[in-house]
Structures are given as structure tokens and as C-alpha cells.
Amino acid sequence: MGYFAALGHKINSSFAKTTAGRIFRLDGSGHEKEIKNSYVLTEMRAGLTTFFTMAYIISVNAAILTDSGGICVCNDTQDATCSKDLDYTSCLIEVQRDLITATAAISAFASCLFGLLTNLPVALAPGMGLNAYFTYQVVGFHGTGKIPYKLALAAVFVEGWIFIFLALTGMRQWLVRLLPTSIKIASACGIGLFLALIGLSYPAGIGAITGSFPAPLDLGGCLPQHLDNFGHCTGHKMQNPALWIGIFAGGIFTVLLMAYKVKSAMILGILLVSIISWPRNTSFTYFPHDDAGQQKFDFFKKVVGFHPIHKTLNVIEWKISSQAGQFMLALITFLYVDILDCTATLYSMARFAGVVDPERKDFPRSTLAYCADAFCISIGSLLGLSPVTAFIESGSGIAEGGRTGLTAVTTGLCFIISIFFAPIFASIPPWATGSTLVLIGCMMIRQIVSVNWKYIGDAVPAFVTVIFIPFSYSIAYGLLAGLMTYIAINGSIALIGIISRNRVFPEGFEEREQWSYKTDGGMPWSSKINHIRDWLKVDSTTFTHSLNIRRTRLTT
């Protein structure tokens, strides 16, 4: 034991003295701002932990985005979703393989870039929730939504560049502070319920619930042959073996691993269900003996191999004039949801890592962090993906001791390796990831306790936001409903207070959350202008001092 400890200390010490050690400011690197207790072996272990915690995104993101139909065209006049069209299904299989490669590639690129530029232990990948909104609300299941897949990618591309502008002006931080706290918390919880609903339904989940009429929902769990054209079980409910495999092997088993603090519990649950579902001679196989099953099995047998992106690479369409209204709605919602998601995640991860300045209430290189995230959003759209964002699963790596960008770079390198195992990741069935979506929803909704339930003016808008996001099947409508409720309730109370000359206020009014359009630090650009002015003063002083020295030397 002493030998391995000495060997580890030697490796840490030797690496810290290298150029890479100074770049990441490891302990012992000699950098004036070196980060204490940051060592290469610890950072690499933390990066591996983060990867295995968030590796599910490769299959889950591809599965969700494939439901949009991608560039596949449905020509069936009887079924707008082409659910039983063999040619359309074959096209979807190719799209999913492209998206698996694309997801791994952008996760690798974004995590490495973010780690190198910001030196923060935060990994990036296509965001959960944003991919669901992109697929099920904007593009729609199999392209039945409001705008085509290619046009939706244009909205994502534009979003990235707008984010860069907002980050450089400081407005990104200011906009988040401007929103009511309870609404911000509730939006994350509502997205968690939205993900859970997707994980419980067809076709990206275990299929435990379906749509229905006249009731909005109904119990599902039947075999595919008992589904009608609307995805509703006509009989034999809860008799699909794949459903129970997903519940027990993918759900209960994963929860037990999480209860005992087993690292990478989610990925282990997904792998267990996948391995069980791969043999062909079972009632729940992912490779049935039909044309689609044989095509998937032939690809699966390759095991190792690089699958180039054919169908989703650079397919952005810029003809937005015919659907400008829907394009702007999608763009604004992407902006709003991603501002909340990424900004809140970055702040929380930076605070968890202990790098937030208590006086400035900001973390080092925050502007660069937001610009890097925004740039990766636009790059991801060129690969056919929904917006990229910071992952809350980065907290697992921080908990393992990750303190620098080397953790994020290690995670990115792991994603690079995963690109060459595309046949494996393409063969993960939806019932393997459905329970994972439910568990992610569970983790996201636990923030609900932070809502201010003491005052009805904060509690009701938050609750409306939480329930409207999953029940309207729209993050945009849920956020809009919550904000409108907040304005209606608190605006009316404020008006009554003005009319009564501050004599009539509701019970618990003193417990309300304080809100003002005047956030700390004033308007975002004021601090930037002052910063630039100070920089110019320092720079001009330095230039003048340098010029005087040169004149003195010339005179001498």
C-alpha cells in the first residue's frame, strides 16, 4: 500500500511540474494561483466518474432526437408519423447512428474546450430537457410539429451566437437574476417531470403510459402489435416483458446502486437492460426477426467501428420567412430555457467546487465560460443536435475531488473513445433508458423544497409552472403560464396596496421573496463599461511608462 501511495505521489508531483500542470494550475506546479489539493490522478479519476455518470446521454439524446424524424420524409397519407413504414424506419435507424456519433463528438469537443479555456471541472453535452423540447414541441414526433428539423437547427445555431453577445455584454447573468427565484426553481422541477413523462411513455421510454381518449392518459405496457395508430393500447396492458425488464433491471436495480453510493449507477443499469435485451430468441429482444431487427443486428455485430455522420451533418435550412413566427418562438424559448439551465448549473458547480468569489458573487473566467458554452451550441447544430449545456452530473466528478479543467478534459477524452463504439451505443433499447429518464426527473424535482411556499404569491406561480410543463407537453407554455400567473397575482396585490395606501396586504406578505428590476450591480453593461475604462487607463499608463523608458534609453 505504501508503494502505490509513493508511486501516486511521484506521478502527481512530476506531472504538476510540466507545462500541462501549470496550465491547469495543479498543486505543486509553481503557478502563483495554483489550486490546492488538485492532483493529476485525482483529476483523472474525477473525469472518469463524470463520464460514467453522464455517458447515458450518448444513447438517450440520440433516441430522443431520432423521434423528431431528422431529415427523414414521411409520405404515408394515412399515418402522419409513418410508424409502420419500413423505409421510414430504415431512415430513422441511420439518423440515430449519426446522432450517436454526433452526440459523442460534440460532448468530447465541448468538454475539452471548456476545460482548457475555463479550468473548471464541468463537462458539457447536449442538454436533457432542451432535446425533449426540440423534438416533441418544436419539430414534433416524426416531424409532425410546427417547424421542420432543419429549420429548428437554424434556431439553435442563431441561439449560440446570441448567447455569445449576451455573455460579452454581461446580460446573461443579469437576465437570470431578473427572474423571480421561485419561477427559476420551478422551471427545473417542471422539466424533471417532463423527462419522467417521456421516460414512462412510448417510444423513448418503457411504455408504461400512453395517450388516450376521452381521458388524456391511460395505462400502457402492451406489446407493439396491440398499439393502434395513435399509440394507445387496445388490450393486454402491462403484459410487455420489456416493460418489466426496464422497471426492475433498469429502475429498481439502478436505485439500489444509487442507495449504496455506487459510482456510475445509471450507466450500469442501462448496460444491464441492454445486455439482457440483446439475445434474439427472447420475447423482449431489441433485434426481432424482421427486416428492421435484422438491419439493427447487422450493425450491432460490428461492435467496434467509426460511423461517419451522413444524414445530419450541416443540414441547416435558412428559409425562415414562411415560418418566421414559429422560428422566433423556438429561438426565444431555447434562449430562455438554456439561460436558466446552463447559467444555474455553472454557478452551482462552481460553488460546489469552491471557486466562487463571495464578494463578486461570480466565478473565475465566467465570461469565457459562457462564450465557450455558446460557441459549442452553434457547433452542435452543425452536427444536427439540440443545444449543448453544462451538465449537473459534473457534480459527481467534483465530489470525487475534481477541481480543475483537467477533469473536464478527461471526460472529453472518454467521449472521444466512445465514438469508435457507435454500434454498441446504437443498440441500446428505449426501455433501457426510460427508467433513467424517470430517475433524472426525480433528481431534478428535489429542488422543489426551495420554492417559497410561505407566500401564495410565490407558491402558486411556481406550482403552475411545474404542472404546466409536463401536462402541456411544452416547456415554453409552462414557463409562460408561470410568469403570467406571477404577474397577475403580484401585480394585483401591488395595485391593491397602492389604492389602499399600503393598508391592505394579504396574509404572509412579509414572507414574500424580494424582487426588483434593479438587480445587484446595476445594468449589465455598466460594469463592462467600467471594466473597459479601467483597463484602458491601466493600459495607457503602462504604454506611457514604457515609452518614457525608451526615450530615456535613446537619450542616454
Side-chain angles (χ1 to χ4, degrees):
M1 195 68 179
Y3 170 77
F4 289 106
L7 179 61
H9 177 75
K10 183 177 180 180
I11 294 174
N12 290 332
S13 178
S14 299
F15 187 88
K17 292 180 174 60
T18 63
T19 303
R22 287 186 58 84
I23 290 175
F24 293 109
R25 303 180 183 180
L26 299 180
D27 195 345
S29 63
H31 195 282
E32 59 180 3
K33 295 183 179 180
E34 68 178 31
I35 301 172
K36 298 300 180 183
N37 300 319
S38 59
Y39 307 104
V40 61
L41 293 181
T42 303
E43 298 295 315
M44 293 178 66
R45 185 179 71 247
L48 286 170
T49 302
T50 298
F51 171 75
F52 282 113
T53 305
M54 62 181 289
Y56 68 86
I57 192 62
I58 300 175
S59 58
V60 174
N61 185 63
I64 290 177
L65 292 181
T66 300
D67 283 345
S68 71
I71 64 167
C72 300
V73 179
C74 178
N75 297 316
D76 193 334
T77 58
Q78 302 296 322
D79 180 11
T81 64
C82 281
S83 298
K84 299 180 180 179
D85 188 292
L86 294 180
D87 292 336
Y88 190 81
T89 301
S90 178
C91 178
L92 289 179
I93 293 173
E94 288 297 317
V95 167
Q96 184 177 13
R97 293 171 182 174
D98 282 6
L99 292 173
I100 285 174
T101 302
T103 301
I106 194 62
S107 301
F109 173 78
S111 297
C112 289
L113 179 68
F114 194 84
L116 287 170
L117 293 181
T118 69
N119 202 31
L120 292 173
V122 179
L124 275 63
M128 297 298 297
L130 288 167
N131 55 8
Y133 174 74
F134 179 95
T135 296
Y136 301 109
Q137 185 59 38
V138 178
V139 183
F141 178 66
H142 287 187
T144 56
K146 299 176 180 178
I147 65 176
Y149 170 79
K150 296 179 181 180
L151 192 58
L153 292 177
V156 176
F157 183 86
V158 173
E159 176 204 358
W161 290 104
I162 293 177
F163 266 166
I164 292 177
F165 170 77
L166 294 177
L168 292 175
T169 59
M171 290 185 67
R172 192 169 180 181
Q173 300 89 319
W174 178 75
L175 287 172
V176 172
R177 294 197 298 268
L178 185 65
L179 297 169
T181 303
S182 291
I183 296 292
K184 289 188 283 188
I185 297 170
S187 63
C189 298
I191 292 172
L193 290 180
F194 190 21
L195 291 176
L197 180 62
I198 294 171
L200 289 172
S201 59
Y202 289 104
I206 60 177
I209 58 175
T210 67
S212 182
F213 182 81
L217 296 175
D218 194 10
L219 191 66
C222 59
L223 291 168
Q225 58 265 32
H226 299 296
L227 290 171
D228 61 18
N229 291 333
F230 300 99
H232 176 245
C233 287
T234 57
H236 302 276
K237 297 178 181 180
M238 302 301 288
Q239 294 183 19
N240 188 349
L243 164 70
W244 296 105
I245 293 294
I247 290 175
F248 284 100
I252 303 299
F253 173 72
T254 303
V255 172
L256 289 174
L257 292 179
M258 294 172 68
Y260 288 97
K261 307 296 182 182
V262 176
K263 304 298 182 183
S264 308
M266 288 186 180
I267 193 66
L268 291 175
I270 293 174
L271 287 175
L272 176 62
V273 177
S274 300
I275 292 171
I276 294 175
S277 304
W278 283 337
R280 304 196 70 181
N281 297 319
T282 65
S283 59
F284 48 84
T285 180
Y286 186 60
F287 307 114
H289 293 281
D290 54 26
D291 292 339
Q294 186 61 47
Q295 187 176 2
K296 290 188 290 187
F297 187 68
D298 290 340
F299 184 65
F300 170 74
K301 289 188 295 184
K302 296 179 181 179
V303 182
V304 179
F306 174 74
H307 177 77
I309 304 174
H310 296 294
K311 293 184 176 293
T312 64
L313 182 63
N314 195 22
V315 295
I316 296 177
E317 181 179 318
W318 293 105
K319 298 178 181 179
I320 65 175
S321 57
S322 60
Q323 295 172 300
Q326 296 299 333
F327 175 85
M328 290 304 300
L329 177 62
L331 175 60
I332 291 171
T333 306
F334 282 142
L335 284 168
Y336 181 74
V337 176
D338 209 14
I339 281 176
L340 292 177
D341 188 302
C342 184
T343 306
T345 300
L346 283 176
Y347 268 107
S348 60
M349 291 298 100
R351 187 179 297 109
F352 190 23
V355 297
V356 173
D357 189 325
E359 295 182 1
R360 295 175 56 244
K361 297 181 180 179
D362 201 359
F363 55 89
R365 308 183 189 180
S366 60
T367 299
L368 195 57
Y370 292 128
C371 288
D373 163 67
F375 178 70
C376 292
I377 289 175
S378 295
I379 295 298
S381 69
L382 297 175
L383 301 180
L385 299 171
S386 55
V388 172
T389 187
F391 257 59
I392 197 71
E393 284 81 356
S394 302
S396 62
I398 297 174
E400 282 290 315
R403 292 293 179 270
T404 73
L406 185 57
T407 294
V409 171
T410 302
T411 302
L413 293 176
C414 291
F415 274 113
I416 291 177
I417 295 173
S418 69
I419 294 175
F420 300 96
F421 292 89
I424 298 296
F425 289 106
S427 302
I428 295 177
W431 55 88
T433 57
S435 293
T436 299
L437 292 176
V438 175
L439 292 176
I440 295 170
C442 174
M443 290 187 291
M444 293 183 70
I445 201 173
R446 61 188 177 186
Q447 304 175 53
I448 198 71
V449 296
S450 299
V451 171
N452 181 28
W453 299 107
K454 298 178 182 179
Y455 176 57
I456 195 168
D458 294 323
V460 171
F463 180 71
V464 169
T465 303
V466 170
I467 62 173
F468 255 77
I469 289 178
F471 291 162
S472 67
Y473 221 66
S474 168
I475 299 171
Y477 296 152
L479 291 172
L480 183 61
L483 287 172
M484 291 179 65
T485 304
Y486 185 91
I487 294 171
I489 294 175
N490 292 284
S492 299
I493 291 174
L495 182 61
I496 293 172
I498 293 173
I499 295 173
S500 65
R501 296 184 179 181
N502 295 329
R503 292 194 186 99
V504 179
F505 285 105
E507 183 179 355
F509 184 73
E510 64 279 357
E511 300 288 345
R512 72 190 186 284
E513 291 177 345
Q514 297 298 323
W515 179 89
S516 173
Y517 68 92
K518 297 179 180 179
T519 59
D520 295 337
M523 295 298 288
W525 49 80
S526 61
S527 61
K528 292 292 179 181
I529 291 174
N530 292 333
H531 177 74
I532 293 172
R533 185 184 297 126
D534 293 341
W535 179 82
L536 288 174
K537 288 180 180 179
V538 172
D539 190 65
S540 61
T541 303
T542 304
F543 176 77
T544 303
H545 179 67
S546 177
L547 187 61
N548 289 335
I549 292 176
R550 291 185 179 183
R551 286 175 177 173
T552 303
R553 289 177 178 174
L554 288 173
T555 303
T556 305

